[in-house]
Amino acid sequence: MADAGGSSVGATDPFEVAELDLGRRARRGYPEAIYCEGKTPEQVRTIAERLRDAAADGTTSGAVLFTRAGVEHAEAVLDILPNALHDKTARLLAWPPDPPAPSGGLVAVFCAGTSDLPVAREAVLTARFLGRETDLVVDVGVAGLHRVLARRDLIDRARVIVVVAGMDGALPSVVAGLAASPVVAVPTSVGYGAAFGGLAPLLAMLNACSPGVGVVNIDNGYGAGHLAAQIAAP
Amino acid sequence: MADAGGSSVGATDPFEVAELDLGRRARRGYPEAIYCEGKTPEQVRTIAERLRDAAADGTTSGAVLFTRAGVEHAEAVLDILPNALHDKTARLLAWPPDPPAPSGGLVAVFCAGTSDLPVAREAVLTARFLGRETDLVVDVGVAGLHRVLARRDLIDRARVIVVVAGMDGALPSVVAGLAASPVVAVPTSVGYGAAFGGLAPLLAMLNACSPGVGVVNIDNGYGAGHLAAQIAAP
Amino acid sequence: MADAGGSSVGATDPFEVAELDLGRRARRGYPEAIYCEGKTPEQVRTIAERLRDAAADGTTSGAVLFTRAGVEHAEAVLDILPNALHDKTARLLAWPPDPPAPSGGLVAVFCAGTSDLPVAREAVLTARFLGRETDLVVDVGVAGLHRVLARRDLIDRARVIVVVAGMDGALPSVVAGLAASPVVAVPTSVGYGAAFGGLAPLLAMLNACSPGVGVVNIDNGYGAGHLAAQIAAP
Amino acid sequence: MADAGGSSVGATDPFEVAELDLGRRARRGYPEAIYCEGKTPEQVRTIAERLRDAAADGTTSGAVLFTRAGVEHAEAVLDILPNALHDKTARLLAWPPDPPAPSGGLVAVFCAGTSDLPVAREAVLTARFLGRETDLVVDVGVAGLHRVLARRDLIDRARVIVVVAGMDGALPSVVAGLAASPVVAVPTSVGYGAAFGGLAPLLAMLNACSPGVGVVNIDNGYGAGHLAAQIAAP
Amino acid sequence: MADAGGSSVGATDPFEVAELDLGRRARRGYPEAIYCEGKTPEQVRTIAERLRDAAADGTTSGAVLFTRAGVEHAEAVLDILPNALHDKTARLLAWPPDPPAPSGGLVAVFCAGTSDLPVAREAVLTARFLGRETDLVVDVGVAGLHRVLARRDLIDRARVIVVVAGMDGALPSVVAGLAASPVVAVPTSVGYGAAFGGLAPLLAMLNACSPGVGVVNIDNGYGAGHLAAQIAAP
Amino acid sequence: MADAGGSSVGATDPFEVAELDLGRRARRGYPEAIYCEGKTPEQVRTIAERLRDAAADGTTSGAVLFTRAGVEHAEAVLDILPNALHDKTARLLAWPPDPPAPSGGLVAVFCAGTSDLPVAREAVLTARFLGRETDLVVDVGVAGLHRVLARRDLIDRARVIVVVAGMDGALPSVVAGLAASPVVAVPTSVGYGAAFGGLAPLLAMLNACSPGVGVVNIDNGYGAGHLAAQIAAP
Amino acid sequence: MADAGGSSVGATDPFEVAELDLGRRARRGYPEAIYCEGKTPEQVRTIAERLRDAAADGTTSGAVLFTRAGVEHAEAVLDILPNALHDKTARLLAWPPDPPAPSGGLVAVFCAGTSDLPVAREAVLTARFLGRETDLVVDVGVAGLHRVLARRDLIDRARVIVVVAGMDGALPSVVAGLAASPVVAVPTSVGYGAAFGGLAPLLAMLNACSPGVGVVNIDNGYGAGHLAAQIAAP
Amino acid sequence: MADAGGSSVGATDPFEVAELDLGRRARRGYPEAIYCEGKTPEQVRTIAERLRDAAADGTTSGAVLFTRAGVEHAEAVLDILPNALHDKTARLLAWPPDPPAPSGGLVAVFCAGTSDLPVAREAVLTARFLGRETDLVVDVGVAGLHRVLARRDLIDRARVIVVVAGMDGALPSVVAGLAASPVVAVPTSVGYGAAFGGLAPLLAMLNACSPGVGVVNIDNGYGAGHLAAQIAAP
């Protein structure tokens, strides 16, 4: 059996041409993250090696995040970058493992239910590694309003509030109705059948009856943490 | 030009066979309503005549409702039943115009915004003509929670609460979280593009994070009022 | 490898802040249920411990339900609460295992086919543990109408009827057309491809041509049983 | 201003190339119908002229149908074929105006509600002009089952049953459950918001829990009548 | 741990009330089939036992089909009814294993591609066990029209044609355009992403530009075979 | 004909209970806006009167916006508040007509095409009346990248960038890839059929491959301007 | 009433910044077209003036197209460019009115039905004005295969074939199965309800079982003609 | 247990009738490919045997492709055709393993991210085996525009450009805006929840704001490579 080598079929070896966007920090002020889902562990390992080498020769600096990392992805990263921080709940790795000293405003993260926690932690860790102070509150769904109302001082102190919720996606409307600060809403895929994998809270959040809500993709804690970090930038 | 008369093409004249379900009150305890949308004014007029005649000869008794009545439908009904009650906001007619004396529990209707009012009034009038006491509260959306919280005594007094909302459809979750009584949720087609004609609040309500919520069709104030009247029956 | 401990990244340990809504029975009259899907067995175990402790010190009273419990969730619960009732078909646990003495009206549950049975049993058990008398009828789909028609006395006796059906979702319309009592309709995800995971019966039930039908989420037997218990409350 | 004539831009005049499928009766045994929606009245008039000429010189024979004909389409047809039959409810014209003598089995058409009548009549007239005996029953929705059950002898006599229904689309399941003959189900766009223009009954009919149901397009009375005529062919 | 026994929670044992519709052959002329998907192997075994007993005491007669039978379902059936016919491709079992002598017209089954074969065989076997002669043709997709055109004599001989296709669902339009007989179209879930689990061919078939096409559910070979058997009945 | 007066049917006059949320500025720092679509001109007029009176007696202060105002809505507002600013393109009215002196950071608004201009202007005016400096750039779609690239200094100067686009919704990804500041993306309903009323750009924006994008509802220029004003707050 | 002038609210006059992409012909080889839908007649008029002026001073050269032009759009264009070609069926204007001399390969356009003609003509005219020879064939739907098969020599001569079809969208599969050349498929919004505005043929075309089909947006004759012109370029 | 043999139930053995379209190369100029998904390994093996035999006796010539081949499919092919080329990333096998000498124009393949690589390689290999020269570029997403802009000479040299992208699907618009050549766009199923399995990039690509884009099915690298090879044919 012949191997589909590059030269024999005209396909260049992809990793000869793959371009890590190492200049992104310079251009945008924030590093690129490696989205692991859909990549093989070998591809993730290769990327980790390049990042290690780029850090060693000073081509890049600062933390890099590996998101949506399954067990095998994480093993590949830790094999190359053994001191990386690994948060299993958030399925996220960060390297170097120490986040920068916080600057800018406070990023508050409200998590409607325990099932939404992986997404909420991904948001927290992302914002933290992009340089913001964070505060996480769990189990504050609208089914028990007193739990949200008891957090009004946090709502008032935050420069931006990330709200993570599945099911009816009602929490961002309620929080935004109480807040002067902008709200970043993250729908999750938690819920019964007619949640349709997060479609229900996604639509609800896009239709939030309180203005001041920007929505990110379903289960996209990374995107929410990134956006929040930019909003709360110094 | 030949007319498509029944005998010439084998199609029986539909109104020879149309069967008004005049026995429904006896069978289910509640009268049938005439859904006008999709019917011609002439068809509605014919139905009104039959109802008038059935009342005259005692075949049926009690109020009948005409729902989703456009201007021409209403004119047709009022031409035959001139003393019918006509609520233009709710696009509803009732005949005879006086509702029965209330019995059973209280039906509270919460309406999120002024734009939801036609649907809310349809629910109120339906429940009222099916024999319940009703109480309507308008403009209590979750963007200003204090407005809902100020109505807790009404929430406590009601045997059932109808909640009418468009956009994010968050109000039923909040109300159900405060109530011991069941909630009937009605999504409306009010809102920006991604409300998709009421799909967003419909899904949100089906995914209400507070149990105790039953959902009816988009803009279906009649169905909500009917269901609420049954729940609050003596 | 560093662990993503709370203090090092600013994320508070979620279980320090998770708030079980132990006051819900006082506020709404019904206890909170623990939705296990999306939670780790460890999280469920922690919650079971807290509930055991809260019962021990009198902070809460009455039954608590664990819904959508997989095998590992069930093991975690039974490890802490060994005398809990476990219904494998319904994937539900209840603790303490004895339901309260029934009060209020009768909750009848109609189940269209044997494949819908897990959802129907979840509804039955929920209503039963919330204090209602229940009666379950299985295999009464509209393909053989005589089976529904043979249950007319049960339809007449019930204070509320839960109807569980997949496929065409036609049963609630038929039952509601025969009943004076309200119907709670539960679509299930049973069926061929174009059922689209329960979307077909969901839409059919929302469009029931008989008024008096309130719909809950796909496969949501818990929600249906809860709503029915509220409707049939004394 | 220049006119976009064929030769100047390379576009051949469409009506020089349009090919009426006049041989279809020979090939399939049934004539082609002219679907008027989306055609200009002028295009319909041209087609009527060709059909008149083809009949005059014997190129074709038998009835031709114009379906979905708006007021202006009808005027164009009647201008050329003044003795055509025009059924305004069904928005259908037939020429010559007399249907053939019936042969084959009986086509029964069940119409759930008065609002579904235009579609039901289109089915009746199509089957009648394709050579079948027809029988139409109106207002037999499942909300009042006794109306369907009273028609069991018609169900037994028919060679095929066309069932026209909007909303929950439950009627075909019920009828098929009572019938030995096949059922052709036609969803209509009648109903409240979550009927989504006929999607709800379409899905319900595709998921009919009684086997023996074939579904045609939303509001497609012509297609249903044609299919039924083929099934009931001698 | 207490078991959720029937009496302790008010839930009747479902199999005490489950009603096999043994009278269906008498009522509709065709036996009920057992849809295995969503049932446990134990439930299927219980049903097989009842059918065996009903046949033994003469309560029912003729073949019964078990459809969508997974490996464990099949083992349960064969354990009770060891001489049942088992077609693994079609995931179908039939008992007794010999189909009745054919009567009525010919049912032709056209299968677009090899991947559609399981559905096509389910249709063939169903029609065969309901008493019809069948003829199956495979790999006649429209990408090579000559393969369809070469089967014109079969198209002419058939009383009804079942067309099974995934992807673009174009084959029913082409076949119906060549046939005097009715076409039963079965979309399959075969294809690339934008087939959306059979939605693409389903919609295409509902919109077939040739009249004379009735559509059944995605992958529903059983339903297609049943409908075809009814159409081709003597 | 009887009028459906409040007392006769138990429905309280809605405007007796409608609660303008006049305290919202105090609570959230921004005034409530009046969404006119779905309200009658009479309702809008009544609201305008109350706002005029509230301003007169000092109950409220600062600008109020009327959004999605049709011609008749605008006439009603201008009749009561004749010096209101009216932007016909944006279908927006503001009163008092002079925006506050700008504070905070710059809000840049990028508009992909001329057809998106109404939404972009609504965003500009909203941000301007909520107290921000704004800069609008039109016709910078990705079909001609040089137009975006020529605006890099504006991208660098802005504290937040609102990007308004229909069709493929690609512009936010491109802009966010060039920017350190957060992007608020607004899909519009501009485009050919498969844009599905804005669904295509909505999904594209939610899936923006550059992090740092928060999405608001389709055509919701008001929401985008409000969110941007909060992000760029001092 | 104050006017929302640019300086008073910080919104720059949009037409001061609108950038016609006059360099597109130089960059891509094809001119920009003006998509009129969603633009006001005044905006279209302004653009026509700029194009006239740019042609006069030599900034641009060659034909420009105005697509999706309603009656008022066309009047605005013809007022400024009175000798423009106006094809009312295609809703397209071209200026200067004479297309370039054809070069490259032949673009064949197959139109399934007369109702698809506006889209097909838009494709023809676009390809013709972008410099290709075109040939249009109408009414070649798959319901009568002989009409397609009779065009095999045109299929063989064409360098690219544009296929325009609504309903089941089956024609591109059939044509591609006969052709060596690539096929550009254009779904149209023609058809009954379950065509869902062109979704059905769109999905069918994306799932064409014959390879060699590229799909453009629903009703997008302009896009199809443009793509075909590029494929058939010299 | 009886076996469902062909003769006993009237079902002809499918492989007696399966027709490999061996004449397709003669008819269309390109060989048929074997789509393995949904076929059993045994079926694939049988097909491989026939192809081997047809090549041996000269019935067919040139390369044949097996696409979407899982591990077991590949083993079956390699067992019969041991020298076949097997590209595991693309899940594709080709036999004979050497592609033809390239002719015609260059096919450039742009791949937005590493996760899209399997689809991109499938396109490259298909075009290569259909006789074209290919060039593959990876990791050129719009989040870092400089990477696309750096490839402008490749864009200028290519006769056709295949663009493979998931998430927002923005890359085809950007590339087409820079190119004179046509673009074949392939959406992939890579991305967060609201990508909905590739729906988001699919819709974005169909709505590309740059003309000159033809779209193929989600993840359909084979179809893209085939179409590109046809466009770039000599």
Side-chain angles (χ1 to χ4, degrees), chain B residues 135-208:
Chain B
D135 203 341
L136 171 64
V137 183
V138 182
D139 258 333
V140 285
V142 301
L145 270 186
H146 57 288
R147 297 179 295 192
V148 180
L149 296 173
R151 301 290 176 167
R152 295 201 59 163
D153 67 307
L154 177 58
I155 291 173
D156 289 345
R157 276 191 298 122
R159 178 66 181 85
V160 60
I161 306 164
V162 175
V163 180
V164 183
M167 298 185 164
D168 56 15
L171 190 56
S173 283
V174 167
V175 170
L178 299 168
S181 296
V183 166
V184 174
V186 196
T188 68
S189 53
V190 170
Y192 282 89
F196 293 118
L199 178 64
L202 170 64
L203 292 181
M205 290 169 178
L206 287 165
N207 287 282

Side-chain angles (χ1 to χ4, degrees), chain E residues 72-118:
Chain E
E72 296 188 5
H73 295 125
E75 287 172 357
V77 172
L78 291 168
D79 204 31
I80 305 300
L81 308 168
N83 71 327
L85 178 147
H86 181 205
D87 187 287
K88 289 176 186 169
T89 300
R91 297 172 56 200
L92 179 142
L93 297 103
W95 182 82
D98 297 314
S103 65
L106 173 67
V107 174
V109 179
F110 280 61
C111 179
T114 305
S115 304
D116 305 312
L117 193 57

Side-chain angles (χ1 to χ4, degrees), chain A residues 142-143 145 149 167-168 170 173-174 177-178 191-192 194-196 199-200 203-204 206-210, chain B residues 142-143 145 149 167-168 170 173-174 177-178 191-192 194-196 199-200 203-204 206-210:
Chain A
V142 302
L145 269 187
L149 296 174
M167 296 187 166
D168 56 13
S173 283
V174 167
L178 299 168
Y192 282 89
F196 293 117
L199 179 63
L203 291 182
L206 288 166
N207 286 282
C209 58
S210 309
Chain B
V142 301
L145 270 186
L149 296 173
M167 298 185 164
D168 56 15
S173 283
V174 167
L178 299 168
Y192 282 89
F196 293 118
L199 178 64
L203 292 181
L206 287 165
N207 287 282
C209 58
S210 311

Side-chain angles (χ1 to χ4, degrees), chain D residues 2-95:
Chain D
D3 193 78
S7 61
S8 71
V9 293
T12 319
D13 175 356
F15 281 107
E16 291 303 307
V17 294
E19 307 184 28
L20 284 175
D21 192 1
L22 298 174
R24 191 172 137 195
R25 177 180 295 274
R27 202 174 66 250
R28 294 194 60 191
Y30 302 98
E32 192 167 18
I34 312 304
Y35 176 74
C36 296
E37 212 159 272
K39 294 193 176 68
T40 63
E42 289 68 33
Q43 290 173 325
V44 171
R45 173 188 298 266
T46 300
I47 291 169
E49 286 169 351
R50 292 200 189 178
L51 290 166
R52 181 194 57 194
D53 297 348
D57 65 16
T59 309
T60 186
S61 71
V64 62
L65 303 178
F66 295 82
T67 65
R68 296 283 180 115
V71 170
E72 295 188 6
H73 295 127
E75 288 172 357
V77 172
L78 292 168
D79 204 31
I80 305 299
L81 308 168
N83 71 326
L85 177 146
H86 181 205
D87 187 287
K88 289 176 186 170
T89 299
R91 295 171 58 202
L92 179 142
L93 297 103
W95 182 83

Side-chain angles (χ1 to χ4, degrees), chain B:
Chain B
M1 168 195 149
D3 193 79
S7 62
S8 71
V9 294
T12 319
D13 175 356
F15 281 107
E16 291 302 307
V17 295
E19 306 185 29
L20 283 176
D21 192 2
L22 298 174
R24 191 172 137 194
R25 177 181 294 274
R27 201 173 66 249
R28 295 195 59 192
Y30 301 98
E32 192 166 18
I34 311 304
Y35 177 73
C36 296
E37 212 159 272
K39 293 193 177 67
T40 62
E42 288 68 35
Q43 290 173 327
V44 171
R45 173 188 297 267
T46 301
I47 292 168
E49 286 170 350
R50 292 200 189 179
L51 290 166
R52 182 195 55 194
D53 296 349
D57 65 15
T59 310
T60 185
S61 70
V64 62
L65 302 178
F66 294 82
T67 65
R68 295 283 181 116
V71 170
E72 295 188 6
H73 295 127
E75 287 172 357
V77 172
L78 292 168
D79 204 32
I80 305 299
L81 308 167
N83 71 325
L85 177 146
H86 181 206
D87 187 288
K88 290 176 186 170
T89 300
R91 295 172 56 203
L92 180 143
L93 297 103
W95 182 81
D98 297 315
S103 64
L106 173 66
V107 174
V109 179
F110 280 61
C111 180
T114 305
S115 304
D116 305 312
L117 193 57
V119 178
R121 280 188 76 85
E122 188 185 26
V124 165
L125 288 162
T126 299
R128 190 65 194 82
F129 272 89
L130 266 61
R132 300 297 162 262
E133 183 187 4
T134 61
D135 203 341
L136 171 64
V137 183
V138 182
D139 258 333
V140 285
V142 301
L145 270 186
H146 57 288
R147 297 179 295 192
V148 180
L149 296 173
R151 301 290 176 167
R152 295 201 59 163
D153 67 307
L154 177 58
I155 291 173
D156 289 345
R157 276 191 298 122
R159 178 66 181 85
V160 60
I161 306 164
V162 175
V163 180
V164 183
M167 298 185 164
D168 56 15
L171 190 56
S173 283
V174 167
V175 170
L178 299 168
S181 296
V183 166
V184 174
V186 196
T188 68
S189 53
V190 170
Y192 282 89
F196 293 118
L199 178 64
L202 170 64
L203 292 181
M205 290 169 178
L206 287 165
N207 287 282
C209 58
S210 311
V213 177
V215 185
V216 299
N217 206 329
I218 298 167
D219 291 334
N220 190 359
Y222 165 71
H226 195 289
L227 178 59
Q230 289 171 286
I231 293 173

